[in-house]
Structures are given as structure tokens and as C-alpha cells.
Amino acid sequence: MDKKTVKRGLLPYLFIALIMLGMFYAIGFTNIKVHDLSYDQFIENLDGGKIKELEIVPRTSGHTYDVSGTLDNYKDGESFKTVLPLSDEVMKKIVEASDNQDFKLTTEPDPASSSLLVILVNVLPFVILIAVAMWFLNKQVAGNKSSMDFGKSRAKLNSDNNKVTFKDVAGLKEEKEEVKELIDFLKNSKKFQKLGARIPKGVLLFGPPGTGKTLLAKAVAGEADVPFYFISGSDFVELFVGVGASRVRDMFQQAKRNAPCLIFIDEIDAVGRQRGTGLGGGHDEREQTLNQLLTEMDGFGANEGIIIIAATNRPDVLDPALLRPGRFDRQVTVNLPDIKGREEILAVHARNKTLAEGITLQNLAKRTPGFSGADLENLLNEAALLAVRRNKEEITMSEIDEATDRVLMGPAKASHKYSENDRKLVAYHEAGHAVIGLKLAHANVVQKVTIIPRGTAGGYNMMVPSEEKMCSTKTDLLEQITGLLGGRTAEEVIFGEITTGAHNDFEKATKIARAMVTEYGMSDLGPLQFEQQAGSVFLGRDYNKSQHFSNEVANEIDMEMRKIINNCHKKATEIIKKNEDLLKLIAETLLEYETLTKEQIDYLVEHKKMPEEDESNLEAMSVTKLREIAKEKGIKNASKMTKAELLKELDV
């Protein structure tokens, strides 16, 4: 627990303890003892000359005197008190005794006669009590600011310091064209009203994560130069029914006061899922919030000048009422960028980075198919971090390759030691993938092969399509399956044994084969679709999944899948056996270098040997060459070290 939190929790108890300690001290923690004397006892002590000190305080309201004092035989801290009638005889007797016995006599005015004292005695305690109560209340509210405003909107107003424009959004040319109308309307709405055009009340952005949906919404607000409220869909949903609806009302009230403006709701599927579906408890709060949102967007009230932009990764689970005209009129798909889009995105994120000569953004874009904008930003950032870690002044291709591997598979486990037999198995497995990729015309192009473990894989083969396509042919899919089976086939041909290293390959191959049979109609069963992409029941889908085929057809589906896999495996075996020399060449080179790039593989296939090693780039050298360099520098046991250990000893 935070120390500041502990201190705040102890303060009230310390305050109460101090008050109680003061009260106990005032009441009886000292040695004060007060005796009550009767009138007769007081007169007896007065006549007997035993009075030492005497103080008289008249009570005008009660016709009496409050008398206090000490006697000769009293110890320190002892005193007496009594009440005497208000008469001249008593006062005369006391004054005479004071003159004769010479004891100290003092008189005080009536405290009731002072209005200030009355106020202090009667009003001040209540003022102190109220002040202390207010102090405690303010501390509690300060500790939990949301306790008093749970019905208020959580939408935040974007500051001008973080203004984003279309210059910061790359690779979304068509998407930007779709939302430019919103900017024109916010700047000059009369132009649209003259022709009777109505601008969309809502725009729904959907697509894979990291494609720039939020960035695009910020750019619209930045270009239009209007207030921009942003909120997450989960900020509406609370435990108590009605709170979310209250927040929706408050959000639109704030927006009306600042119109024209934009409201951006991120992850709207958290509140906009289909009503009346799914399992797992009641939905009153979420559904009331959705109903209020539907009413505010297109109800009896007018929201002129307010445009809502929402983003989601799951448009299929949204309520149909949310997508009808008059609410989210326009739906914009934000897809993964193509090669040109990736090049533009890389240019944006490479503005403040120093790239080495020879590195072009076009080549980087070719090497990163399937990467989103967020992935590309992360790629360059990881490369920059690696360059700093290696004390370099610019980002080289070595850092970019390593960063790509980190994004795809995680950091390398270069220090992980495994037996020579395991290294050989992994090398031939990955070489099998590479050979299939090199020999099949429609297979993916081999970009990199490594036997350095990453994540859960002992090694991996990075293969990308030769060109990006909108659709895949049956031949493309069959050769993808053949390439995935190349690793297992190489193990069978070379070692006559199989291992568990191909389980991920089988998973991917089986998924493609099943989709070919049940979804794409690419089998002897004909152009029929037996299955569809199923959504989760808890995301607003039906509980019972409809089955569009009989048990006999299910058996035929299994047979067709097995036929596809077996034919591809047979083809892979033929290619591996026919090119066994190439397989051994790549595998033995992998054992020596651990990592091969596309350029090195192409040179190896053409010249049957590796290109001459550049002594300035130790990372690209073979283990044998590194051991020779290490021995020349006097490093002990260099002949037994792995490549990672040698590079570490050589300060690379």
C-alpha cells in the first residue's frame, strides 16, 4: 500500500486521540482536588482564621456568589468551592476577616455579563464541531472524486497541444476522402443546407486493431479545428442501472454547449452490442445506456452540429438499431495497409530517425506484409532502441531485421543452449521450408531463415507473398500447405524420424485445408459452404450454432481434408528428395551461420557457397570465423562457445 494512503488513513485517528488526551488532562490527569464546603463550614473556617486565599465571583442572575479558595492545611493542587447568598452582611464579614487575618482576597466580574464570553462558550464548540466534520467530508471527497459525480460524463476534451492533422495519417487515402465531408460541414454547414443535404450524424470506423481508427478521428477534429470529446464505450457501463444513461445525457449536453463539435467513442461494442442476446447475467444497465445513446443520436431532440465517430473491431456484434440511417449513417472500413500505404506510414514514423545508407522505405514495406500502422511504428522504434543499445549512430539493416523478428516472434533466446542433435534437427526442418519456398512458383518467398530460438519456436522461416493479392487461388492455398509441411518432410527424408517441432505447421495447414472444403468450395464436394466464421456467444451471438450438413457430409469433409493434406505431403516429399543436395547445403550453412537472409540464400543457391564475409559485420559471420577472431584476441575456450557467446565476448 502507498505510504501517503496510510498516512491519510491514520490522520483522523490521531486527531481524535489528541482531543481525548486533552479532555482527560483537563478533567483529571493532574493532581487537582476540589472540596465542596457548605455555608456553615465556610463560616467556621473563616472565623477560625484558616482561609489562605479567596476568590469571589458574583452571579447577578442567581443572587449568589461563587466562592473558591484554599485553606492552610491544603496541599498543592487542593482547593474548595462554595456558594454564598448575595447579601451585604456576608461581604462585610469576609472583608473584615481579610483585614484582620491578612489573606489574599480577589473578586472577578460576572462572566455572564460579557456577551463575547457567552458567544465563545455557547457557539464556539458547535462551530469547531461543524468545521471538523466539513474537513473530514472534504478529505473523503478528495480521496474519491468520482463518488459525487458518478452520473457525469467521462468524456474528455482534447487539448490543442496534441492536435493531429491529416499529415500525421498515412496510408488511408480512401478513408480520409470519406471523412473530409465532415470537415467541410463543420467549417461551412450552409453550403450543404442550400442543397438540402444532411451530413451523416455518425460515422463508424471498423477494422483490425492498430490500423489507425482513433488517429483518423483525431485528425478529423484537428482539421476542422472544433472541440473533440473522446471516451471509451466501457466508461458508460457501471454496476448501478441508469448511471450509463445519465452519462450519455450529460455528454450530449456538454457537446450541445460547444457545438459544432465531434464526439469520438472508442470500442463502442462495449456498450452497443445487440440487445437481448448472450449469456451470463442481466443486461439492464448496458441496454439502458444503449437505448439512451440511440435516443440522443436520432430521437425527438435535435443535435445539430454534433457528429459522432465511433470505432470498433467487431461490427458484427453491434445492435442493428445503431447502424440504421439516421444514427451511424456511414461505415468506413479501415483495412491493413497495402505496400504503398506501408511505405507512407514508415515515412511518417521515420521522420525523427536516422537510417543508414542503402535502407529504403520501399524495401521495408515489401518485407512487412500484414503489418498494421501500429506494428510498423513499433518496428522502427524497436530498431532505434537496438541501435542505441549497440552504441550505433544510425539504424542499420541488422537492427531492422532483429526488430522485425521481435515484433513477429519475440526476443531471441540466443543464450539458450540445446544439443547438437537438436540444432541439426531444427536446421534441416527450417531448410525444408526454405527448399519448398524456393522450388514452388506460387509459394511464399523466403526472406529469412534462422535456427535461433524465439518464443516457443526453436527456429523459424519468414516467408512473404511474392505479390499482394486480393484473392488467393486454389493453387496458392495448396502450395502454402505444401510449404508448411516442408519441415516435417525434411525430418522424415533425412533422419527417418519425426519430431514435435511441426505442431504449429500442422495447425496452420489444417486450418487452410478445412477452410478450402467448408468455406471456399475448393474440393470434390462442390461449391458449397458448410461452415461460417462463428462469433462468441458472450459477444452477442446465438448460443446454438446451426449445422448445415449431415453426419455423412461431415465424414466426407474429413476425407476431403485428409486428401488435401496427404497430396500436399506427397508433393513436398517429391520436392525434398529431388533437391536433397540443396536441402543439405542450406541446413549445413544454417548450422554454421545460424541466420540466413534472402540475399544470402539467393547467393548460396547460385554459387553453392556463401559470399565473402565482411569483417566489419561480425553478426553476419560464421561461427568458425568468429572463433578464429576470438582466438586471435586471446579469448579462452572460444572453440566451445556458441555464436551468441562469441559475439558477447567480442562486445557485439
Side-chain angles (χ1 to χ4, degrees), residues 317-434:
V317 302
L318 295 180
D319 194 274
L322 200 61
L323 305 177
R324 75 160 176 81
R327 292 192 174 119
F328 283 105
D329 305 83
R330 184 170 297 176
Q331 300 178 27
V332 179
T333 304
V334 185
N335 281 322
L336 292 171
D338 56 10
I339 183 170
K340 185 178 180 181
R342 290 196 299 274
E343 185 177 353
E344 294 175 358
I345 294 171
L346 287 168
V348 171
H349 296 302
R351 289 173 183 170
N352 59 343
K353 295 177 177 63
T354 305
L355 300 178
E357 292 185 9
I359 297 178
T360 62
L361 299 180
Q362 185 178 9
N363 288 335
L364 292 183
K366 289 180 179 179
R367 296 164 60 93
T368 52
F371 276 48
S372 66
D375 292 331
L376 295 171
E377 180 188 11
N378 188 33
L379 170 66
L380 289 181
N381 184 60
E382 286 286 347
L385 292 174
L386 286 169
V388 173
R389 193 182 304 171
R390 296 172 179 178
N391 297 319
K392 293 185 178 181
E393 296 182 355
E394 57 185 9
I395 302 172
T396 65
M397 203 65 208
S398 175
E399 284 76 43
I400 291 177
D401 280 338
E402 176 65 18
T404 305
D405 296 340
R406 280 172 171 264
V407 173
L408 292 174
M409 302 290 294
K413 299 179 180 178
S415 60
H416 180 71
K417 291 186 177 181
Y418 49 99
S419 66
E420 284 299 318
N421 185 51
D422 286 341
R423 288 184 79 245
K424 194 172 182 179
L425 280 170
V426 173
Y428 275 93
H429 180 102
E430 301 303 333
H433 289 303

Side-chain angles (χ1 to χ4, degrees), residues 18 86 244 364 563 568:
L18 288 174
L86 183 61
L364 292 183
K563 184 196 298 183
C568 290

Side-chain angles (χ1 to χ4, degrees), residues 541-595:
R541 301 285 94 193
D542 295 332
Y543 181 73
N544 292 320
K545 180 181 176 182
S546 57
Q547 183 172 321
H548 303 294
F549 50 85
S550 64
N551 293 333
E552 290 78 5
V553 174
N555 182 53
E556 292 182 16
I557 290 173
D558 294 339
M559 293 176 63
E560 287 295 323
M561 289 173 56
R562 190 176 296 112
K563 184 196 298 183
I564 291 174
I565 297 293
N566 289 338
N567 288 339
C568 290
H569 181 248
K570 182 179 179 181
K571 187 174 183 179
T573 304
E574 293 174 357
I575 295 173
I576 292 295
K577 288 183 176 179
K578 186 177 180 181
N579 299 276
E580 190 170 340
D581 292 339
L582 178 61
L583 174 71
K584 292 180 179 179
L585 176 63
I586 295 176
E588 295 300 326
T589 307
L590 265 178
L591 289 171
E592 188 69 17
Y593 286 82
E594 293 190 348
T595 300

Side-chain angles (χ1 to χ4, degrees), residues 72 75 81 114 147 163 188 206 263 326 357 469 553:
D72 291 337
K75 299 177 181 178
K81 67 178 181 176
S114 174
S147 61
K163 183 178 286 188
N188 186 14
F206 60 88
I263 297 176
E357 292 185 9
K469 302 178 181 179
V553 174

